[in-house]
Every structure is written in C-alpha cells, then in structure tokens.
Amino acid sequence: MALDTPQLGDRSIDQETVADLHRSSPGSAVAVPQQIGKRHGWLSRARSYFVFDPLIWLYTVVLGLLSLPTSLFSNSGRIQHDFARVWSWMIMKTIFSPVTVTGLDKIDTTKAHVYAVNHASALDIPVLYVYLPFQFRIVFKKELLKYPIVGWHLKRSGQVSIDQQNPAASIGSIRSALKSLKGGMPLVIFPEGGRTKDGDIKPFMPGAFFLAIKSQVDVVPVALIGTYELLPMDTYDIKCQPLQMRVGEPISTAGLKLQDMEDLSARVQRAMEDLYYVDRPRMAVT
C-alpha cells in the first residue's frame, strides 16, 4: 500500500516565485550576509586546525563507536540520544561559544512538536542537542549515511532518513516518524533542505511539513543566531563567539490538509525570519 508522499526534495515553483518577488519588490528587505573572518586571523585558524578540530574528531570517533553497541540493548534510540548529547556538550565546552536561549520556557515540551530550525552550520546539531532539554529525532538527508561512524549512529539511533531524489524510497522512515510523533516523540527538521552558503535564510521546502500535517502537531520555529559566523560551510576554522537560540510561538496544524503545505511553509518561514532578523542588518531594496 503506497503512502501519500509529497515530493520532499522539490521546491515549489510558487514558493520560489513568491520568494523572488519578495526580494525584488520595492521596500522589501534582504539580509546582508555577515562578514566572515573580519575579526579572526591566523591565530584562530591555528587554534581550530590544531586544537578544536582534532578534539571534535576524537569525540566523534570515541563516543560514536561507544554508542553503537548500545543499539543491541535498546532499539528506541534513547541511549544513543544521551551519547549524542554528551558528544555535543563536550564540543560546546571546547569551542567556548555560550548560548543564550529565549522563548523555550513558553513551549510545553511535554508535548510532541515539530521544531523547524534554520541550518547554517555543522555546529547547529551540537547546539540543539545541548539546549533542547528533551529527547527528539532529526530528519536528515540520506547522503549522510555514507559517512563512517556518523552514518552508523544516525541509522541505529532512530533518526529519520529522507531520500530527496527519490522520496518514495523513504516511505518506511516516514511511517516510523509518524508513529513516533503520534507517540509523543518531538521531531527536528531543517526546512531549507541544507545549510545556507551565505548566512541568509533560504526558501523552505513545503514538503518538509508533511509530517507535521499528517500527525496534526504544532510547528515551533527555532532560529539559531551566530552559528553561520561560528562555522560556515567549506571551512574548518571555528570562530568562537556567543550564540543565541530563539524559540518562537507554536504554529497550529489542526485541520490542515496536505494541500495546505505551502501555506504552512510560508507561515513558518515568516515566523523564522522574524526571529532571525531582529538585530541582523538588512539592506532596503528600491
């Protein structure tokens, strides 16, 4: 029996058009990417390449290998989540980047929600594991399974693998995620579909909200501030600095159908941008 699965890997043409019109319309605002490396020179690179990066790889190998045997005794992923949280805590302590969390106290974390998070850095994951104080599962791209240790952990810890090129092949994972959500397990998604290359929030993939609508749980926007400046794509230079995690108001999916995915996606993106661009510079387009 085929599951009614949306094209999770496709961006809606209408969504792209709306985003393009928004950027080009008079009076609209466009985020100005932060300048990377302005205040960090060779000392920062040396510290990263010879201290931070080797330690992070060490944490990953040791804790990743230690977590694998636990899957023989627990198939729920709860023990593996604890390992991931220890791994994340060690990383955050190592890189000297304190995180200020706002808005989470207004969320009923005893209920299952879909947490929609902007994705700017590989270090977004440790931030979430440390500062979201509950068990959750992450929707991730199938390509990550090819990486040793990380891929093994993802596969055996109950995370949700999505094949963006062939969503129909992800039916098993989607069904499992629906069952988990309805059973009270929160889910973390990155609706941009990947990391931003310039620090700006990219158009959301409407299909990312399929699980939220099918399970009729609220979507909570979460904006991570500063992680792009901390470690953008295509570099291993970690630039220590304070970070923020801003949690927005839950957005209800009650009564929504699959044909409402684009509208829900647009609502969540607006809420995310309101959180993200509060104190980041914007440039008016005329």
Side-chain angles (χ1 to χ4, degrees):
M1 177 179 177
L3 181 67
D4 184 13
T5 309
Q7 293 300 314
L8 298 177
D10 294 340
R11 295 189 186 274
S12 163
I13 294 176
D14 290 340
Q15 180 77 357
E16 292 280 5
T17 302
V18 170
D20 290 340
L21 288 173
H22 175 72
R23 292 190 182 94
S24 61
S25 61
S28 65
V30 177
V32 179
Q34 300 290 314
Q35 293 185 10
I36 303 301
K38 184 177 179 181
R39 295 182 296 105
H40 301 83
W42 68 269
L43 282 175
S44 173
R45 292 192 293 272
R47 180 179 57 187
S48 295
Y49 300 153
F50 296 107
V51 180
F52 292 165
D53 295 340
L55 283 174
I56 290 173
W57 280 110
L58 178 64
Y59 304 156
T60 302
V61 171
V62 173
L63 290 172
L65 291 177
L66 286 175
S67 75
L68 292 177
T70 65
S71 62
L72 300 175
F73 306 99
S74 172
N75 58 8
S76 67
R78 292 184 178 275
I79 298 177
Q80 292 92 328
H81 182 95
D82 292 338
F83 270 99
R85 196 168 189 199
V86 171
W87 169 79
S88 300
W89 180 86
M90 294 174 71
I91 290 174
M92 296 307 297
K93 289 298 183 181
T94 297
I95 64 175
F96 306 110
S97 296
V99 179
T100 300
V101 180
T102 56
L104 187 60
D105 56 328
K106 300 178 182 178
I107 305 298
D108 184 356
T109 57
T110 64
K111 296 181 179 179
H113 297 93
V114 169
Y115 292 83
V117 187
N118 64 303
H119 201 10
S121 171
L123 292 176
D124 293 341
I125 303 299
V127 171
L128 293 172
Y129 269 110
V130 173
Y131 294 97
L132 288 180
F134 46 80
Q135 288 267 334
F136 57 84
R137 301 294 177 263
I138 297 176
V139 176
F140 70 94
K141 296 187 293 185
K142 181 183 177 182
E143 290 80 2
L144 294 177
L145 292 174
K146 67 183 180 182
Y147 294 105
I149 302 178
V150 172
W152 303 340
H153 176 84
L154 289 171
K155 186 175 182 179
R156 301 181 71 87
S157 60
Q159 313 305 323
V160 183
S161 172
I162 296 295
D163 187 341
Q164 292 182 315
Q165 305 305 315
N166 182 20
S170 306
I171 288 175
S173 293
I174 292 170
R175 284 177 172 161
S176 177
L178 281 172
K179 183 178 179 181
S180 295
L181 267 173
K182 291 177 179 179
M185 178 62 70
L187 192 67
V188 169
I189 64 172
F190 297 102
E192 295 163 282
R195 283 178 287 169
T196 176
K197 294 183 178 180
D198 59 8
D200 201 2
I201 293 178
K202 301 304 179 186
F204 285 4
M205 294 181 174
F209 299 94
F210 170 79
L211 290 168
I213 290 178
K214 289 291 286 185
S215 59
Q216 293 289 283
V217 302
D218 293 350
V219 178
V220 178
V222 178
L224 299 181
I225 314 298
T227 57
Y228 174 73
E229 291 78 14
L230 176 69
L231 183 67
M233 288 183 66
D234 304 321
T235 181
Y236 294 100
D237 182 7
I238 299 172
K239 306 171 184 68
C240 306
Q241 60 192 284
L243 309 173
Q244 295 183 56
M245 185 173 80
R246 299 172 182 165
V247 182
E249 297 288 337
I251 298 173
S252 175
T253 64
L256 297 185
K257 307 296 182 183
L258 293 182
Q259 56 264 35
D260 299 315
M261 281 193 297
E262 289 190 24
D263 289 340
L264 177 61
S265 176
R267 287 177 60 196
V268 177
Q269 178 151 3
R270 285 194 298 270
M272 174 95 63
E273 290 174 344
D274 287 343
L275 295 169
Y276 188 74
Y277 292 120
V278 168
D279 51 10
R280 295 174 69 89
R282 285 193 173 198
M283 178 177 64
V285 178
T286 58

